[in-house]
Amino acid sequence: MKAYEQALSLAETLKLKGVSRSLDEMVNDAESRKVSYISFLNSVFSAEISWRAKRRFERNMAGAHFPMIKRMEDFDFGGVKGIGKSDAVNLLDFRWIDNKENILFFGPPGVGKTHLSIALGVSAVEKGYKVCFERITNLIKLLRTSEIQKTSEYRIRRIMKSDLIIIDEIGYTPIEKREANLFFNLISEAYENLSVIVTSNKSFETWAEMMGDGVMTTALLDRLLHHARVYTLDGQSYRTKKIKNKEE
Ligand code: ADP
Ligand code: MG
């Protein structure tokens, strides 16, 4: 076996995918630039490390289940009250995830709650954090079925092992008492263990009504709000604003 084929086969045995993919190129480059043994070795290790980082990012993006990709740089802070550019810059350092703090976005439909949540989630994945996005309706469905359905059980397990859970659209649909209890248990487990972003079109004073249990809702909010940054957004819906602009 020629030396090159042997190296390739050894890399494959060691499951060094990054090395096997770029070995040819690295060898050619090293030969043409006459690099030292040690710097060649460094480029081999670096190729493997960056391949693994890229794969991890792709896996974590897929596992996050973002419904679409949104970026902070596409968010127009001029059109919304309650959050500013400097808040966003602050949030993008992710100390709140390291400190297991929560973020709550309140406000009427269309002001950018989901956009901001996803933008933070995507940046967090880029920084290496594990993130899961779920609309509350689906999260509750997963909790309800996790004991009888393997896919739900896996998803809940991934959610609980994340650094950040994004729970979108609390308040659009009422939650039954039994379901609210399952949700409460999840938040209790998450409390001080991982960060949660919650978006809601209802102020938390009205959550008890939506969940049908005042005592439990108080305990739930107690945990969510203990270490939390709350942003109450306001402004015209971006959706209708866009339609209007098109008409003009
Ligand atoms: P909400 O979750 O508050 O109902 P979304 O985040 O879903 O609102 O926003 C609705 C749409 O308008 C999305 O396509 C979003 O990207 C866009 N959008 C909302 N606010 C802004 C903003 N301030 N700058 C740019 N796009 C925005
Ligand atoms: Mg939304």
Side-chain angles (χ1 to χ4, degrees):
M1 207 193 291
K2 280 199 215 127
Y4 175 76
E5 274 80 34
Q6 192 184 1
L8 206 55
S9 152
L10 290 171
E12 272 157 21
T13 306
L14 286 168
K15 298 196 166 44
L16 302 174
K17 285 232 178 79
V19 174
S20 11
R21 289 172 67 91
S22 49
L23 189 63
D24 197 25
E25 198 185 313
M26 283 191 294
V27 169
N28 286 339
D29 178 65
E31 278 172 354
S32 70
R33 292 198 298 123
K34 300 203 185 338
V35 300
S36 66
Y37 293 126
I38 195 69
S39 55
F40 177 67
L41 197 58
N42 284 343
S43 59
V44 170
F45 288 145
S46 303
E48 185 60 29
I49 289 168
S50 50
W51 165 257
R52 286 186 187 186
K54 184 169 168 278
R55 287 285 301 126
R56 190 180 330 114
F57 171 70
E58 287 165 356
R59 231 184 5 256
N60 285 341
M61 278 299 280
H65 290 190
F66 294 120
M68 72 275 286
I69 300 303
K70 296 284 179 186
R71 301 263 170 198
M72 204 55 100
E73 56 264 33
D74 300 325
F75 195 81
D76 166 22
F77 288 91
V80 62
K81 289 191 208 90
I83 191 162
K85 189 96 202 257
S86 60
D87 296 305
V89 171
N90 232 311
L91 291 173
L92 287 170
D93 73 7
F94 297 112
R95 269 211 316 265
W96 54 278
I97 295 188
D98 299 331
N99 298 336
K100 329 278 186 205
E101 287 174 57
N102 302 326
I103 295 180
L104 287 82
F105 289 121
F106 291 101
V111 288
K113 301 181 296 296
T114 302
H115 185 132
L116 289 167
S117 307
I118 295 176
L120 287 171
V122 170
S123 296
V125 173
E126 280 169 347
K127 290 269 161 66
Y129 295 102
K130 215 163 157 185
V131 179
C132 280
F133 180 102
E134 292 295 345
R135 286 202 183 88
I136 184 79
T137 42
N138 197 52
L139 179 65
I140 283 173
K141 195 162 132 208
L142 290 168
L143 289 168
R144 265 201 287 112
T145 54
S146 68
E147 277 179 15
I148 47 166
Q149 212 167 310
K150 275 271 172 277
T151 49
S152 303
E153 189 196 335
Y154 289 149
R155 184 64 183 160
I156 293 293
R157 210 180 297 156
R158 188 185 196 277
I159 287 172
M160 294 319 296
K161 282 199 298 198
S162 302
D163 302 297
L164 167 66
I165 318 175
I166 302 173
I167 306 169
D168 198 26
E169 296 190 348
I170 295 184
Y172 282 93
T173 41
I175 303 172
E176 277 178 30
K177 203 167 161 178
R178 197 177 69 89
E179 298 173 338
N181 252 306
L182 293 170
F183 180 53
F184 171 74
N185 289 341
L186 179 126
I187 296 297
S188 297
E189 266 184 65
Y191 177 61
E192 294 188 334
N193 267 320
L194 51 93
S195 291
V196 181
I197 295 182
V198 157
T199 81
S200 181
N201 63 333
K202 295 229 161 61
S203 68
F204 49 77
E205 290 86 357
T206 61
W207 277 27
E209 196 184 318
M210 169 185 72
M211 301 208 179
D213 183 333
V215 178
M216 193 218 57
T217 308
T218 307
L220 174 87
L221 283 168
D222 203 51
R223 282 159 179 75
L224 271 180
L225 291 167
H226 185 197
H227 311 286
R229 308 185 189 191
V230 179
Y231 299 93
T232 305
L233 312 183
D234 203 5
Q236 200 193 335
S237 162
Y238 212 82
R239 295 190 189 97
T240 51
K241 202 157 41 181
K242 255 166 89 181
I243 297 167
K244 264 203 192 147
N245 284 347
K246 268 190 201 149
E247 282 171 355
E248 275 162 19

